[in-house]
Amino acid sequence: MGWNAALKAHFAPAAGPQLLLLDLDGTLIDSVPDLAAAVDAMLLGLQRMPAGEEKVSHWVGNGADVLIRRALCAGDEQAAVALAADDVTPARALFDAAYLQALHHATGAYPGVSEWLQRVTTPKVLITNKPRLFTLPLLASLGWSDYFVQILCGDDLAEKKPSPMPLLHACQTQNVTPQQALMIGDSRNDIQAAKAAGIASVAVTYGYNHGEDIAASKPDWTVENLLQLLAG
């Protein structure tokens, strides 16, 4: 396995990055079908109209609590932030129950991802804003649990992406400098976290990113398929 010329040049004299930091939703897997099903089950349980996949795809990326707040407020960001915790708690219980049942019914890997995970031997750390409650069984259902030397979920540390904290924590625990690491994600949260940490970034163009063009976040590179990161 070898990296493409751009990565080799950036990480020279090393042959490539020494640590890979990987987002999950929108980068490795298309989880919107399951998330939307859970959100709609939650809304119906609260006697509200379902939202549907397109709207939910614009709301994901900041963890389950923020997703639920956005769903309860029909995507109104200010109202979602201001929502009282007492309004979120019963909705979260409905969402959790629905998502645990559905999380691997429709979720699947994007093209090239499984092959890329198998071929790349560089240590990989999964950094997701998804709660651990969902992340571990989802990885197990995909047969990916052993691909990662470390798994950092949205409820593991005091801060999550776009904070650089999870990225820097991964580098520290894996004894790698930020300059030797590479962050791969699909959203502005991933790219902002990488920039704040001083870590090079790759953005995939097929992800969610709140319905925005990921190029606006100015990642170091963009790819349409993770296999494009490899030589030849």
Side-chain angles (χ1 to χ4, degrees):
M1 186 281 297
W3 297 105
N4 66 27
L7 289 180
K8 284 183 179 179
H10 179 84
F11 289 99
Q18 303 304 296
L19 183 67
L20 299 173
L21 310 176
L22 300 172
D23 176 55
L24 181 60
D25 299 81
T27 301
L28 303 181
I29 60 169
D30 180 6
S31 54
V32 161
D34 298 341
L35 289 169
V39 166
D40 286 348
M42 173 194 79
L43 292 172
L44 289 170
L46 297 171
Q47 298 184 333
R48 300 191 185 195
M49 290 294 293
E53 287 189 18
E54 183 177 358
K55 289 182 179 178
V56 172
S57 72
H58 296 166
W59 299 340
V60 300
N62 296 94
D65 279 337
V66 176
L67 170 60
I68 290 165
R69 286 175 175 271
R70 288 170 175 158
L72 292 175
C73 298
D76 185 323
E77 200 70 18
Q78 289 187 333
V81 171
L83 201 62
D86 288 345
D87 293 325
V88 178
T89 300
R92 177 63 192 264
L94 290 171
F95 173 85
D96 285 0
Y99 191 45
L100 281 171
Q101 288 185 344
L103 61 83
H104 58 268
H105 290 177
T107 290
Y110 285 109
V113 168
S114 291
E115 179 184 350
W116 186 85
L117 288 171
Q118 292 169 8
R119 290 176 58 184
V120 173
T121 56
T122 304
K124 309 173 194 69
V125 176
L126 187 74
I127 302 181
T128 176
N129 285 348
K130 187 186 291 292
R132 184 164 288 266
L133 170 70
F134 306 131
T135 302
L136 297 186
L138 177 53
L139 292 176
S141 74
L142 293 164
W144 289 358
S145 301
D146 294 335
Y147 284 139
F148 306 101
V149 296
Q150 187 176 8
I151 297 170
L152 292 174
C153 301
D155 46 4
D156 286 346
L157 300 174
E159 299 175 13
K160 53 179 175 280
K161 299 176 296 183
S163 167
M165 180 183 288
L167 284 66
L168 294 172
H169 179 80
C171 290
Q172 182 180 22
T173 55
Q174 299 301 321
N175 297 310
V176 170
T177 68
Q179 292 73 30
Q180 296 174 308
L182 179 66
M183 177 71 210
I184 303 175
D186 74 301
S187 81
R188 63 192 183 210
N189 294 325
D190 302 309
I191 307 309
Q192 289 171 8
K195 288 182 182 295
I199 293 173
S201 62
V202 171
V204 298
T205 58
Y206 51 73
Y208 310 138
N209 195 34
H210 314 280
E212 302 170 1
D213 185 349
I214 191 58
S217 296
K218 295 180 168 45
D220 293 296
W221 303 279
T222 59
V223 294
E224 298 177 355
N225 187 305
L226 289 184
L227 294 174
Q228 291 175 335
L229 296 174
L230 304 182

